[in-house]
């Protein structure tokens, strides 16, 4: 009940994500995630770092129950997600935007159609099929595409875009949901260094502008330190560092990734 | 150099003895079957002579009964069009239900069984069954080809869906899209082209098969064809065969055009 207590000055409850003792076991007795708890609120951006195979993707997919957590509780803006199913779960998922490593666009649909995919949770299947979206959605999509520099590509098919442009479309799709939390799963891993920086800038900027808490899985520690206000280091399924990027030392990185030769 | 040749590595490629044995058995069986069925060069030469006489009686072709011919052809086309329309319509949901990457096993299992049943009989056998069930005429032919279509397109469609990328599906589920919207937005765009290809191919097949179901009394030009055979009406027979060839080529041309529109 304490969760609902935070309220922004304009009366809207602050958007937040909160994990309590999250555990995920794919095979019983072998937890991938053991006892993960943290909370993110407002427009703060959090980077989750850790070695490959340590369950970062699992963690992010547990939040919207694409993967069912074994135990623990997850709250999005105060609403518990873990016990939901069916229609309730679908409605809860609308509040959780997700950006993917390989963009996960529908290649054969246009940029506009892909962006409007973010509204599918709000529009009936029949209206979606006939492309009868509310005018407000369309206007918002145009505005969003303009703000990310894709206004000239509205009717182009997604597979004609470059990697960076595709990821922008993926981000626009997530923002269209008007989410209460934005999850990004290795959003820059398929991109070149310059584009990676641009995408990180865009994510952080949109998170701040729309006041959406941002959680980014990322294996590039330098990018994480540069763009986020908080770093959570995970190793072998537990949080081993949680704090500001400035305090993340080589000692911490040794604990997170193991070994030290690579740090020289 | 000589020293290097003496190094003994393990064998670089594994010898597949079972494979060699299988080929040997297949060749031996082929020889045995030819011998058993009395297939010989002599019989082939004799057959050529009969064939020449038969072909000789076919010319000149007899188009004098063209009204009967056109009427039968139209019925054949109608059977093919109606059967294809309903066959495609039904095979969409059946194929979707049979796709193992989207549906739970309690849905795919019955759907796959149904498709397998539709595929298990040749259309002629279906046609005989339906002639017995609903009587002589085009209805039996239509039902036959509907089932044949489901068996063919249903299976191919399910396989096409099983090959799609699940990434957009994941993204749309994560956005809270209802199941039907996920299908419409993330699945259909990935398979639409192939589905149109399958459908037009099946229409071709239905057109050819609808000329055949008439032989067992299920409507279309096949009945007339068979009657012409039995009456030794070889000049009329030739006219029918040429018309069928023309019809199939025409449909090929049209379906080619249709596919180009959807590229």
């Amino acid at each position: 009940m304490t969760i609902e207590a935070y309220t922004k000055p304009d009366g809207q409850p602050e958007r937040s994500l909160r994990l309590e003792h999250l555990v995920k076991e794919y095979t019983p007795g072998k937890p991938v995630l053991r006892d993960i708890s943290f909370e993110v609120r407002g427009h703060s951006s959090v980077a989750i770092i850790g070695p490959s195979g340590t369950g970062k993707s699992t963690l992010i997919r547990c939040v919207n129950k694409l993967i069912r957590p074994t135990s623990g509780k997850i709250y999005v803006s105060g609403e518990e997600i873990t016990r939901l199913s069916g229609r309730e779960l679908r409605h809860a998922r609308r509040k959780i935007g997700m950006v993917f490593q390989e963009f996960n666009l529908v290649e054969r649909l246009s940029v506009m159609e892909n962006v409007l995919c973010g509204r599918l949770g709000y529009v009936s299947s029949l209206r979606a099929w006939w492309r009868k979206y509310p005018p407000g959605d369309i206007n918002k999509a145009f505005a969003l595409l303009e703000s990310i520099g894709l206004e000239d590509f509205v009717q182009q098919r997604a597979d004609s875009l470059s990697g960076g442009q595709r990821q922008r479309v993926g981000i626009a799709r997530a923002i269209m949901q008007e989410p209460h939390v934005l999850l990004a799963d290795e959003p820059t891993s398929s991109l070149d260094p310059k584009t990676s920086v641009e995408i990180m800038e865009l994510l952080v900027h949109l998170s701040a502008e729309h006041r959406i808490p941002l959680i980014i899985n990322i294996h590039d520690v330098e990018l994480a330190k540069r763009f986020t206000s908080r770093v959570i280091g995970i190793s072998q399924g537990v949080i081993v560092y949680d704090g500001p990027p400035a305090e993340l030392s080589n000692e911490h990185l040794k604990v997170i990734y193991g070994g030290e030769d690579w740090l020289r | 150099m000589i020293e290097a040749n003496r190094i003994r590595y393990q064998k670089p490629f594994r010898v597949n003895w079972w494979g060699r044995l299988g080929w040997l058995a297949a060749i031996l069986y082929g020889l045995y079957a030819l011998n058993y069925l009395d297939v010989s060069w002599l019989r082939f030469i004799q057959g050529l002579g009969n064939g020449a006489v038969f072909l000789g009686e076919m010319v000149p072709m007899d188009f004098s009964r063209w009204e009967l011919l056109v009427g039968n052809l139209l019925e054949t086309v109608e059977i093919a069009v109606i059967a294809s329309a309903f066959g495609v319509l039904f095979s969409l949901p059946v194929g979707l239900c049979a796709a193992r990457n989207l549906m739970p096993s309690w849905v795919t299992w019955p759907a796959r069984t149904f498709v397998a049943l539709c595929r298990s009989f040749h259309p002629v056998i279906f046609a005989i069954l339906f002639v017995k069930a609903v009587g002589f005429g085009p209805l039996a032919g239509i039902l036959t080809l509907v089932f044949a279509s489901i068996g063919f397109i249903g299976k191919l469609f399910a396989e096409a869906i099983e090959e799609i990328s699940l990434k957009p599906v994941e993204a749309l589920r994560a956005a809270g899209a209802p199941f039907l919207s996920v299908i419409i937005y993330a699945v259909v765009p990935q398979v639409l082209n192939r589905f149109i290809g399958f459908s037009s191919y099946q229409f071709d097949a239905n057109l050819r098969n609808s000329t055949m179901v008439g032989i067992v009394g299920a409507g279309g030009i096949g009945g007339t064809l068979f009657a012409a055979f039995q009456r030794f009406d070889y000049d009329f027979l030739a006219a029918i065969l040429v018309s069928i060839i023309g019809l199939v080529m025409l449909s090929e041309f049209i379906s080619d055009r249709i596919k180009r529109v959807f590229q």
Side-chain angles (χ1 to χ4, degrees):
Chain A
M1 284 296 103
T2 56
I3 299 133
E4 323 256 352
Y6 298 86
T7 308
K8 278 198 300 177
D10 59 2
Q12 289 235 327
E14 195 177 35
R15 294 170 177 179
S16 67
L17 170 71
R18 175 173 159 139
L19 273 62
E20 285 179 1
H21 308 294
L22 183 74
V23 175
K24 173 63 191 175
E25 303 174 339
Y26 286 105
T27 44
K30 286 186 181 171
V32 179
L33 300 172
R34 34 187 139 190
D35 201 21
I36 302 276
S37 301
F38 64 86
E39 182 169 23
V40 189
R41 50 178 62 255
H43 64 275
S44 61
S45 48
V46 178
I48 297 178
I49 62 171
S52 308
T54 196
K56 301 196 299 286
S57 281
T58 303
L59 172 62
I60 275 214
R61 281 171 173 72
C62 278
V63 171
N64 53 16
K65 277 187 86 177
L66 284 178
I67 293 173
R68 179 185 290 270
T70 308
S71 67
K73 286 182 175 161
I74 294 162
Y75 299 89
V76 173
S77 294
E79 185 188 17
E80 198 201 321
I81 303 294
T82 25
R83 61 180 174 77
L84 301 180
S85 63
R87 177 185 293 262
E88 285 180 322
L89 176 62
R90 277 207 298 106
H91 285 185
R93 278 179 177 161
R94 303 190 300 205
K95 298 200 294 183
I96 307 169
M98 197 158 177
V99 176
F100 299 85
Q101 177 179 351
E102 291 173 50
F103 328 129
N104 292 20
L105 303 180
V106 186
E107 303 278 317
R108 302 182 69 99
L109 292 185
S110 72
V111 167
M112 177 54 91
E113 284 167 321
N114 269 292
V115 171
L116 286 171
C117 278
R119 300 303 294 175
L120 285 180
Y122 298 89
V123 177
S124 77
S125 296
L126 200 64
R127 293 183 72 93
W129 186 23
W130 293 109
R131 308 294 192 262
K132 291 219 182 295
Y133 289 88
D137 288 0
I138 308 261
N139 292 341
K140 190 172 177 210
F142 270 118
L144 205 51
L145 283 171
E146 206 166 321
S147 75
I148 61 175
L150 288 177
E151 65 271 26
D152 295 334
F153 298 87
V154 171
Q155 305 222 14
Q156 279 203 28
R157 261 168 56 159
D159 54 7
S160 69
L161 302 183
S162 72
Q165 290 170 329
R166 286 187 206 199
Q167 192 57 294
R168 283 165 194 272
V169 175
I171 293 168
R173 175 177 64 189
I175 296 292
M176 279 302 284
Q177 288 172 236
E178 296 176 355
H180 286 230
V181 55
L182 191 55
L183 310 170
D185 186 21
E186 304 276 7
T188 61
S189 296
S190 306
L191 303 171
D192 64 64
K194 176 169 168 282
T195 315
S196 295
V197 168
E198 290 168 4
I199 290 297
M200 288 297 284
E201 274 172 350
L202 181 64
L203 276 171
V204 170
H205 166 73
L206 287 174
S207 150
E209 185 185 327
H210 297 263
R211 297 192 66 77
I212 306 167
L214 171 67
I215 290 111
I216 309 180
N217 270 351
I218 191 160
H219 64 226
D220 187 327
V221 179
E222 290 311 311
L223 271 186
K225 282 170 135 177
R226 183 169 156 193
F227 284 102
T228 58
S229 52
R230 178 176 163 196
V231 173
I232 293 178
I234 295 185
S235 180
Q236 302 187 342
V238 290
I239 294 180
V240 292
Y241 178 84
D242 186 350
E247 290 171 21
L248 185 70
S249 65
N250 279 357
E251 290 304 311
H252 291 122
L253 290 175
K254 257 188 249 173
V255 174
I256 296 169
Y257 290 99
E260 51 189 306
D261 292 348
W262 60 278
L263 281 168
R264 288 196 198 121
Chain B
M1 283 308 288
I2 297 164
E3 204 61 25
N5 281 339
R6 282 204 200 134
I7 297 172
R8 299 287 297 182
Y9 294 104
Q10 66 186 91
K11 275 184 192 155
F13 309 107
R14 196 201 304 241
V15 180
N16 186 349
W17 285 108
W18 284 113
R20 288 185 185 182
L21 209 65
W23 279 111
L24 189 69
I27 291 167
L28 285 178
Y29 179 77
L31 291 174
Y32 164 78
L34 280 177
N35 188 40
Y36 181 78
L37 297 174
D38 196 19
V39 178
S40 68
W41 190 245
L42 188 67
R43 284 202 50 185
F44 179 66
I45 296 296
Q46 284 173 345
L48 280 185
N50 289 341
V53 174
F54 175 56
L55 284 179
E57 286 182 30
M58 278 191 174
V59 283
M61 286 180 251
D62 175 16
F63 280 102
S64 59
R65 276 178 282 169
W66 62 272
E67 280 164 327
L68 176 68
L69 193 64
V70 169
N72 276 325
L73 277 177
L74 285 180
E75 189 176 88
T76 297
V77 172
E78 280 158 14
I79 291 175
V81 168
I82 295 172
S84 301
F86 281 99
V88 167
L89 197 69
F90 292 140
S91 60
L92 273 166
V94 171
L96 184 64
C97 289
R100 281 170 293 197
N101 55 348
L102 293 183
M103 295 291 182
S105 61
W106 59 267
V107 178
T108 60
W109 190 82
R112 297 185 84 83
T113 309
F114 178 63
V115 169
L117 273 180
C118 290
R119 292 173 63 79
S120 55
F121 296 120
H122 190 272
V124 170
I125 298 179
F126 266 128
I128 295 170
L129 290 176
F130 281 119
V131 166
K132 287 287 175 200
V134 301
F136 290 101
L139 179 61
I142 290 170
L143 287 173
T144 300
L145 297 180
V146 165
F147 277 86
S149 304
I150 294 173
F152 183 77
I153 315 183
K155 186 179 167 73
L156 289 181
F157 191 42
E159 278 171 8
I161 292 178
E162 284 175 356
E163 284 167 18
I164 64 167
S165 159
L166 286 176
K167 290 179 183 300
V169 175
E170 182 190 35
L172 266 52
R173 283 181 57 211
F179 180 74
L180 207 56
S181 296
V182 174
I183 299 293
I184 293 168
Y185 269 73
V187 178
V188 171
Q190 294 193 60
V191 295
L192 187 64
N193 260 13
R194 296 183 65 189
F195 188 65
I196 287 166
F198 299 150
S199 301
S200 74
Y201 183 81
Q202 182 61 28
F203 177 70
D204 271 2
N206 281 348
L207 201 60
R208 268 176 282 121
N209 283 340
S210 68
T211 61
M212 172 273 299
V213 292
I215 293 174
V216 295
I221 202 167
T224 315
L225 180 85
F226 194 54
F229 250 121
Q230 292 192 312
R231 289 200 305 265
F232 306 106
D233 241 348
Y234 292 140
D235 44 1
F236 184 45
L237 179 75
I240 297 174
L241 291 180
V242 166
S243 321
I244 292 175
I245 292 170
L247 187 66
V248 170
M249 282 170 75
L250 184 69
S251 94
E252 203 124 315
F253 175 75
I254 293 171
S255 70
D256 205 51
R257 279 298 162 92
I258 292 174
K259 266 188 246 177
R260 220 173 288 172
V261 170
F262 283 96
Q263 276 301 310

